[in-house]
Amino acid sequence: MEQKDIKSVIGRETLPKTITVEQGQLQFFAKATGASDKLYWDVEAAKAAGHPAIPAPPTFLMCLDSLCPSKEASILAYLGVDIGKILHGEQRFSYAEPIYAGDEITFTSVVLDAYDKKGGALQFIVSEAQAVNQNGKTVGTMTNTLVIRN
Amino acid sequence: MTAIKYDTLSVGDALPDHVTGPISRANLALYAGASGDHNPIHIDSDFAKKSGMPDVFAHGMLSMAYLAQLITNWVPQTQMREYGVRFTSITPIHATVTCKGKVVEKYEIDGEKRVKIEITAEVDGGVNTLMGDAILALD
């Protein structure tokens, strides 16, 4: 498939999508990352540390975004990019409210920028996602730069 | 864990290193499932080779999770305000990841005492794989 012009994705917004933060997924993530702090997988330890439930660790917001089914094609699918050519360039989080097991998180995102380097040998897509919980509070913002190796 | 206090910290102070690894193929399979990042380049060596890589390599976000542990081993997560990295090199399979951090700035904003820490992850041989910073609120 012919790749579309990278600039055509600038300003592209995604439809809102919502996912429930599952305790089992948080426990699975704790295991997969070798978390040593019990509060990330033991409900009683989380409560003893003052949390209402197991908290989502600092990078889990991105996982929720990945795990959440979407009704529309991803930007990469739209562009016709082979997943084997993707690298992660940059990732940034800002945190406003904690996220806990049982929360419902709604994501919306927009492509802030897209550009070529090295005569198109490398292409970059910069997206920003907002995450809002079931109470309408923003829990965090993510900025993500993907790199396409052509 | 002794609470880290703003007043007793100085610019240049280091966080205790956090070392994880070596990263196995099983680690990557588990991380793929736990994170929702199912890109086969991290879990299928046939696919990785077809994509021009010598083998599977670790998710950058796995190392970012390790770097987050460096921070949350030091201060509670509720004190994190921002956290960002650049992925500067691929983390090869079987790598041991060493996470390091140091205080680079102390300031007050909106009545909150904050420190900025500079953080890096490196693999065997001292190659930097992630470089970034985090903003933490302290008492």
Side-chain angles (χ1 to χ4, degrees):
Chain A
M1 185 160 67
E2 189 64 22
Q3 248 182 252
K4 292 190 176 66
D5 178 12
I6 191 90
K7 296 252 176 225
S8 66
V9 296
I10 296 174
R12 193 173 187 270
E13 292 179 21
T14 57
L15 296 170
K17 57 177 189 177
T18 302
I19 187 169
T20 301
V21 182
E22 291 176 10
Q23 178 176 294
Q25 195 72 30
L26 291 173
Q27 290 165 323
F28 184 14
F29 186 86
K31 179 181 181 180
T33 56
S36 58
D37 195 337
K38 275 179 90 170
L39 71 85
Y40 290 109
W41 42 270
D42 182 313
V43 183
E44 295 313 313
K47 288 184 175 168
H51 300 289
I54 293 179
T59 61
F60 197 75
L61 198 55
M62 168 132 184
C63 306
L64 287 170
D65 190 22
S66 301
L67 289 161
C68 186
S70 173
K71 287 177 183 156
E72 57 194 337
S74 72
I75 284 159
L76 297 176
Y78 165 80
L79 283 171
V81 172
D82 170 4
I83 187 92
K85 296 201 296 185
I86 297 301
L87 292 173
H88 202 166
E90 293 184 33
Q91 182 68 37
R92 189 161 192 94
F93 299 92
S94 68
Y95 304 106
E97 292 283 332
I99 301 169
Y100 291 111
D103 282 355
E104 287 198 359
I105 305 296
T106 299
F107 290 94
T108 49
S109 73
V110 61
V111 177
L112 297 180
D113 201 5
Y115 53 92
D116 288 323
K117 270 190 188 172
K118 297 184 181 173
L122 293 174
Q123 295 181 303
F124 297 77
I125 303 174
V126 184
S127 307
E128 184 181 81
Q130 298 280 347
V132 176
N133 70 12
Q134 65 280 9
N135 303 317
K137 280 190 172 168
T138 296
V139 291
T141 307
M142 294 188 285
T143 315
N144 162 295
T145 304
L146 286 182
V147 184
I148 306 166
R149 301 180 291 130
N150 286 315
Chain B
M1 188 162 83
T2 316
I4 302 295
K5 297 284 183 192
Y6 182 86
D7 289 336
T8 56
L9 274 185
S10 304
V11 168
D13 285 356
L15 282 68
D17 287 0
H18 178 55
V19 182
T20 312
I23 296 174
S24 68
R25 292 172 202 277
N27 290 146
L28 298 186
L30 285 173
Y31 186 77
S35 68
D37 181 345
H38 301 158
N39 188 335
I41 203 142
H42 301 300
I43 46 179
D44 180 342
S45 54
D46 299 333
F47 182 88
K49 284 169 190 165
K50 219 164 55 187
S51 301
M53 308 305 293
D55 201 343
V56 294
F57 57 94
H59 305 77
M61 290 303 292
L62 176 57
S63 289
M64 195 172 183
Y66 294 152
L67 258 183
Q69 291 169 357
L70 167 89
I71 300 166
T72 58
N73 286 346
W74 198 57
V75 299
Q77 187 186 335
T78 47
Q79 293 173 219
M80 289 177 76
R81 297 290 176 267
E82 285 184 44
Y83 172 35
V85 301
R86 277 188 306 123
F87 300 94
T88 51
S89 300
I90 279 172
T91 302
I93 186 77
H94 309 311
T96 294
V97 180
T98 301
C99 299
K100 299 179 178 187
K102 66 174 183 200
V103 177
V104 291
E105 207 180 323
K106 291 177 70 178
Y107 60 96
E108 289 192 42
I109 188 164
D110 303 331
E112 191 169 75
K113 291 172 179 165
R114 293 186 178 182
V115 294
K116 179 176 181 178
I117 59 171
E118 207 170 74
I119 44 185
T120 58
E122 61 181 49
V123 292
D124 318 75
V127 176
N128 274 318
T129 48
L130 283 71
M131 301 177 78
D133 65 84
I135 310 290
L136 312 173
L138 295 178
D139 288 331

